[in-house]
Amino acid sequence: MDEFVHKFLKRTGPVLCLDIGSGTQDVLLARPGLECENWPRFVLPTPARMVAQRIRELTLLRRDIWLYGGNMGGGFSQALKEHLAAGFKVGSTPAASRGIHDSEDVVRAMGVEFFANCPEGSVPIFLTDYAPDFWAGLLRMAGLPQPHMVLAAAQDHGYHVGGNRQARMRMWSQLLASSADPAEWIYSVPPPALTRLAPLHEKTGGAVADTGTSALLGALCDSEVMDRSFREGITVINVGNGHTVAALVYRGQVRGIYEHHTGMRDLEQLLHDLEQFRKHWLPAEEVQSTGGHGTAFGPYCEEAGGYAPTYITGPKRAMLQGHGRFLAPHGDMMLAGSLGLIWGWARLHTN
């Protein structure tokens, strides 16, 4: 890890970095005075999967449930639908219902009722992407220090009238227009439209980012990847459990973003998309017509050539076996996003 990260940690103290995906939350405790390889790390089920497991337990026990807390990843939605289909009641506070859908009308149409307090006979379930007590207890039981700062990443579609997929690509376009440096895409305070990152920031008290940003930073903290980008344009791809995000990078600067749902593209389709994306010929509308999010291009995209060298990370990266170099920054592919968070944040905040 670069010297500026160690300098930052020496000044700041331990930093807990969380990369919250659709399948796992990949967590790193960056500690001053230790080599990066000796930083404690955890790969655990994502919080939404824990909620789904709790809902299914209560379905088997034939109990009604009440959701409270705030917005979080929606990976428990299928379990919730199964609970309703089994004939049991689901209540929710308005704030917690954002984890199901941003529209209260849509949530009501599913059969969920709104209550400010837990109805008699229902079992409360707390919704959050980050629970301070959980992490304080886990670190204490492991004999580890409490963090002085928390950095976290989660994917946030936001809520926008007219379509969240289109709005998400507008977000990427705005980020590309504001700065081509992905470290600048870590939010000290997220904009209100990012309805998942905002409560995550409130819980952690620290900076937050989209998981697409954290994965990209994780790739760039590999010195070979960054150095190669200064010689020619490269493509960085994160094949996640839910989403595939690719970036065109030149001289450490992002020139374009592509995003699709991993399960919606087979290898042939994905390779075709990437070929067109590298030529910056792939319009967002074409990606959206196949169920994806789209593409966004920044200025000066043409100056780097074909972006042929390809670096791949993510839990589903085997899909692209033989089509680029697999990355494992500092020896740990699953922690790429968390490593990217501390690397990107420290780079901006170390003199």
Side-chain angles (χ1 to χ4, degrees):
M1 186 61 75
D2 293 340
E3 186 58 36
F4 62 79
V5 175
H6 293 288
K7 184 178 178 181
F8 175 80
L9 291 171
K10 185 177 180 180
R11 184 181 76 240
T12 304
V15 178
L16 188 68
C17 306
L18 303 97
D19 185 39
I20 305 168
S22 62
T24 61
Q25 54 179 331
D26 310 315
V27 184
L28 182 74
L29 183 65
R31 297 184 62 183
L34 292 177
E35 301 85 354
C36 171
E37 286 73 15
N38 286 319
W39 292 345
R41 55 202 66 198
F42 309 86
V43 177
L44 301 172
T46 200
R49 289 202 170 189
M50 297 181 187
V51 170
Q53 180 178 333
R54 180 60 174 152
I55 292 172
R56 289 190 169 106
E57 289 172 353
L58 292 169
T59 303
L60 292 173
L61 293 172
R62 308 180 66 80
R63 298 295 302 272
D64 298 334
I65 61 175
W66 175 67
L67 309 176
Y68 71 110
N71 194 0
M72 68 176 298
F76 60 89
S77 294
Q78 183 58 39
L80 192 73
K81 292 174 183 176
E82 292 168 3
H83 192 80
L84 288 163
F88 304 110
K89 295 180 180 179
V90 176
S92 178
T93 63
S97 74
R98 304 292 186 271
I100 307 169
H101 197 281
D102 282 294
S103 168
E104 292 184 10
D105 290 338
V106 171
V107 175
R108 285 192 182 93
M110 291 173 61
V112 178
E113 301 178 74
F114 285 85
F115 300 98
N117 299 296
C118 186
E120 185 176 352
S122 293
V123 177
I125 299 177
F126 185 64
L127 302 189
T128 183
D129 276 319
Y130 178 78
D133 291 346
F134 171 85
W135 284 106
L138 182 61
L139 295 174
R140 192 176 299 115
M141 290 292 289
L144 297 171
Q146 299 298 311
H148 295 186
M149 175 185 290
V150 179
L151 303 174
Q155 189 187 66
D156 193 337
H157 290 77
Y159 178 57
H160 309 267
V161 176
N164 290 351
R165 286 185 298 149
Q166 292 83 351
R168 182 164 170 80
M169 295 320 297
R170 284 199 298 272
M171 176 199 77
W172 286 124
S173 296
Q174 290 164 2
L175 289 173
L176 285 166
S178 66
S179 174
D181 181 355
E184 298 275 3
W185 301 353
I186 304 175
Y187 301 103
S188 296
V189 179
L194 295 179
T195 55
R196 184 181 178 191
L197 289 183
L200 182 59
H201 166 69
E202 291 172 4
K203 283 289 184 180
T204 64
V208 293
D210 192 88
T211 49
T213 298
S214 64
L216 176 57
L217 289 168
L220 293 177
C221 78
D222 184 311
S223 59
E224 178 190 324
V225 178
M226 181 64 88
D227 292 347
R228 185 69 177 270
S229 82
F230 274 82
R231 300 199 301 272
E232 60 184 318
I234 64 172
T235 302
V236 175
I237 308 170
N238 180 60
V239 190
N241 287 311
H243 292 77
T244 294
V245 179
L248 306 178
V249 181
Y250 182 53
R251 296 183 177 273
Q253 307 287 295
V254 182
R255 302 306 194 201
I257 293 285
Y258 161 93
E259 184 168 8
H260 211 302
H261 296 98
T262 302
M264 286 186 162
R265 306 310 273 165
D266 61 25
L267 177 59
E268 183 180 353
Q269 292 168 331
L270 180 57
L271 291 176
H272 175 267
D273 284 355
L274 292 171
E275 179 185 7
Q276 299 303 307
F277 173 57
R278 289 187 181 98
K279 297 174 181 176
H280 31 91
W281 291 349
L282 184 63
E285 294 79 10
E286 183 174 328
V287 179
Q288 290 162 3
S289 71
T290 61
H293 287 280
T295 54
F297 296 98
Y300 313 117
C301 195
E302 299 86 353
E303 69 179 353
Y307 299 94
T310 301
Y311 298 91
I312 306 163
T313 187
K316 299 288 189 180
R317 63 182 184 170
M319 179 181 183
L320 287 173
Q321 179 75 47
H323 295 280
R325 181 191 159 212
F326 283 178
L327 287 177
H330 297 280
D332 200 328
M333 182 275 295
M334 289 299 289
L335 270 295
S338 293
L339 288 162
L341 285 172
I342 187 64
W343 181 81
W345 188 252
R347 188 156 66 86
L348 290 181
H349 296 86
T350 303
N351 297 325

